[in-house]
Amino acid sequence: MPERPARGRDVGRALSRVALAAVFVTGGSQVWRRPDGPAQAASSLLDRCRSAVPPLDRFTDRQLVRANAALHVTAAAALAVGVAPRACAAALAGSLVPTTLAAFPFWKEPPGPQRVHQQGDFLKNVALAGGLLASALTGGRPGQAPATPPPMEGTTP
């Protein structure tokens, strides 16, 4: 199979960044405008986070949820246009962990349709995190080895 021209690969990368970003821009915008429901859902997780990271005590649940929403919108917008895509993808993947744990604790639900629905949403977020991590590691270039730091001065590779 002939290799696609570089321009086609660039378009594909741009479209994949936009597709990933769209989820976070829309979701983050909704949470920014209406943070009370997500803040209530995240309350017990945020309490545990405050125990581990005492400086978080100075912020309300609503403020922390809105900060996460702001991160989602800004990092996703930058990812969509190709500004620091590795850093943006890594930030989104990292922020997806507490978001997913707070929003879709399917393990707390009794067996039934609600549990199945939450488990499906949880797994979708796991899949999003996988795509973001792949993008962070390869810079959106599938098949490319992850970035490696240059050798330290005075050493040989």
Side-chain angles (χ1 to χ4, degrees), residues 41-153:
S43 181
S44 66
L45 176 68
L46 292 174
D47 288 343
R48 290 192 304 271
C49 290
R50 285 187 184 96
S51 296
V53 185
L56 292 177
D57 280 339
R58 68 183 101 164
F59 301 104
T60 66
D61 290 353
R62 192 172 193 269
Q63 288 171 321
L64 292 171
V65 164
R66 284 186 101 190
N68 191 54
L71 182 141
H72 283 189
V73 171
T74 55
L79 177 67
V81 297
V83 174
R86 288 181 182 207
C88 291
L92 288 168
S95 74
L96 201 52
V97 173
T99 299
T100 303
L101 292 174
F104 307 116
F106 68 90
W107 55 91
K108 293 181 178 179
E109 294 292 327
Q114 181 64 20
R115 182 184 183 119
V116 170
H117 182 74
Q118 281 203 0
Q119 187 175 24
D121 286 341
F122 182 93
L123 293 173
K124 286 177 198 174
N125 278 11
V126 170
L128 275 173
L132 289 165
L133 288 173
S135 186
L137 293 172
T138 66
R141 292 177 169 81
Q144 178 178 325
T148 55
M152 291 177 31
E153 197 173 307

